[in-house]
């Protein structure tokens, strides 16, 4: 069990560019979550997958954001036409599917800076 | 609205002493799950302790224990025999039965002094 991994760990981009982040969950976990954390705040939920199905999306996930989880394994989060307000830490977490309230295990995050 | 509130932005404790971090939440649901996560500087978030709302017994994990007061909607974390490695941001979080997302508080920064 190698834990949740995320790549890249850091990303600097210019406003208007597209960026894509990858998350590899713990291998036996069917649920995968994306959160966004800005400075001085707790993480805020963006979206979650059960296997390959995206089951819930937050209002924070604007049209410029898209997430996928092909084949129910790794997931990608893409931000199109980045804005300075997108600068944040993007966290991925995974959990088993025993039910609601299962412990979510977090990755190290991808820190995005939009110039 | 379902919210989680941490009213202490910063706390300080001396090594070997005990500190309590506060958390309150608001929900109309009767069944939910509560968590404390620790986020060391520039490191990933790790679970400290988990509590199911239907269980009256307070969860404990080595030096970490909670005081869960369901009627008061309070979920505080007690760290005993504090160590330098306990210095981190601590987040209280809740998962309500209406969804799978974690709702986080703003966090409490814990400083441990020698």
């Amino acid at each position: 069990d190698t834990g949740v991994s995320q790549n890249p760990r850091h990303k600097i981009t210019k406003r208007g560019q597209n960026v894509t982040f990858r998350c590899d969950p713990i291998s036996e976990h069917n649920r995968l979550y994306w959160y966004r954390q800005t400075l001085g705040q707790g993480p805020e939920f963006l979206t979650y997958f059960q296997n390959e199905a995206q089951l819930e999306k937050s209002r924070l996930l604007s049209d410029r954001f898209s997430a996928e989880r092909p084949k129910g394994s790794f997931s990608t989060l893409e931000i199109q036409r980045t804005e300075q307000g997108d600068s944040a830490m993007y966290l991925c977490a995974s959990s088993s599917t025993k039910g609601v309230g299962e412990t979510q295990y977090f990755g190290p995050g991808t820190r995005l800076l939009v110039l | 609205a379902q919210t989680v509130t941490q009213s202490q932005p910063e706390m300080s404790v001396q090594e070997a002493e005990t500190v309590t971090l506060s958390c309150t939440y608001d929900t109309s649901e009767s069944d939910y799950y509560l968590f404390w996560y620790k986020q060391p500087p520039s490191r990933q978030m790790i679970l400290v302790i988990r509590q199911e709302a239907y269980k009256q017994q307070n969860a404990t994990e080595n030096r970490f224990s909670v005081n869960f007061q369901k009627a008061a909607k309070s979920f505080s974390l007690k760290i005993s025999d504090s160590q330098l490695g306990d210095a981190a941001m601590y987040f209280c979080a809740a998962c309500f039965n209406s969804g799978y997302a974690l709702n986080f508080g703003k966090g409490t920064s814990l400083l441990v002094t020698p």
Side-chain angles (χ1 to χ4, degrees):
Chain A
D1 180 358
T2 56
V4 179
S5 61
Q6 293 186 245
N7 288 288
R9 295 290 306 277
H10 303 273
K11 180 70 177 179
I12 300 174
T13 191
K14 292 182 179 179
R15 189 178 54 186
Q17 297 295 304
N18 298 344
V19 294
T20 299
F21 310 140
R22 175 178 170 130
C23 171
D24 287 88
I26 292 171
S27 57
E28 64 267 28
H29 285 177
N30 290 341
R31 291 200 182 121
L32 185 148
Y33 312 78
W34 285 99
Y35 293 84
R36 183 178 72 184
Q37 184 178 20
T38 53
L39 203 59
Q41 302 293 320
E44 297 171 292
F45 170 75
L46 293 178
T47 187
Y48 107 91
F49 293 83
Q50 180 157 321
N51 299 313
E52 66 276 8
Q54 188 174 17
L55 297 185
E56 190 176 347
K57 292 195 287 187
S58 157
R59 287 175 295 178
L60 292 176
L61 212 67
S62 75
D63 292 345
R64 297 184 297 105
F65 287 70
S66 63
E68 294 182 342
R69 193 183 181 197
K71 302 180 182 178
S73 55
F74 70 91
S75 176
T76 57
L77 178 67
E78 181 183 17
I79 309 175
Q80 295 182 327
R81 305 181 304 281
T82 52
E83 302 172 355
Q84 287 183 327
D86 296 332
S87 295
M89 175 78 88
Y90 290 84
L91 297 171
C92 176
S94 70
S95 74
S96 65
T97 51
K98 292 179 184 175
V100 178
E102 288 306 310
T103 297
Q104 296 182 23
Y105 296 88
F106 284 81
T110 295
R111 186 172 295 281
L112 173 66
L113 177 61
V114 182
L115 302 176
Chain B
Q2 296 172 326
T3 58
V4 176
T5 303
Q6 293 179 251
S7 58
Q8 305 156 316
E10 293 179 350
M11 291 285 284
S12 181
V13 64
Q14 279 193 319
E15 220 176 344
E17 296 296 308
T18 296
V19 64
T20 298
L21 309 184
S22 301
C23 174
T24 58
Y25 56 91
D26 187 22
T27 182
S28 57
E29 297 183 11
S30 59
D31 198 14
Y32 43 87
Y33 302 81
L34 301 168
F35 305 82
W36 279 98
Y37 279 90
K38 169 185 176 182
Q39 188 176 40
S42 301
R43 297 185 64 181
Q44 67 195 80
M45 197 166 322
I46 58 174
L47 177 72
V48 175
I49 203 163
R50 173 178 180 268
Q51 172 85 41
E52 293 111 331
Y54 63 85
K55 288 187 177 179
Q56 292 186 337
Q57 186 173 6
N58 289 327
T60 62
E61 195 71 43
N62 300 317
R63 297 182 295 107
F64 299 87
S65 62
V66 299
N67 183 6
F68 173 47
Q69 301 288 328
K70 191 170 185 179
K73 296 180 182 176
S74 170
F75 182 60
S76 60
L77 175 69
K78 186 171 82 171
I79 306 174
S80 304
D81 185 26
S82 297
Q83 300 175 0
L84 294 176
D86 294 334
M89 199 74 172
Y90 285 81
F91 290 99
C92 178
C95 183
F96 302 109
N97 251 353
S98 53
Y100 293 95
L102 285 173
N103 297 267
F104 284 86
K106 289 188 175 182
T108 296
S109 178
L110 178 65
L111 175 66
V112 182
T113 57

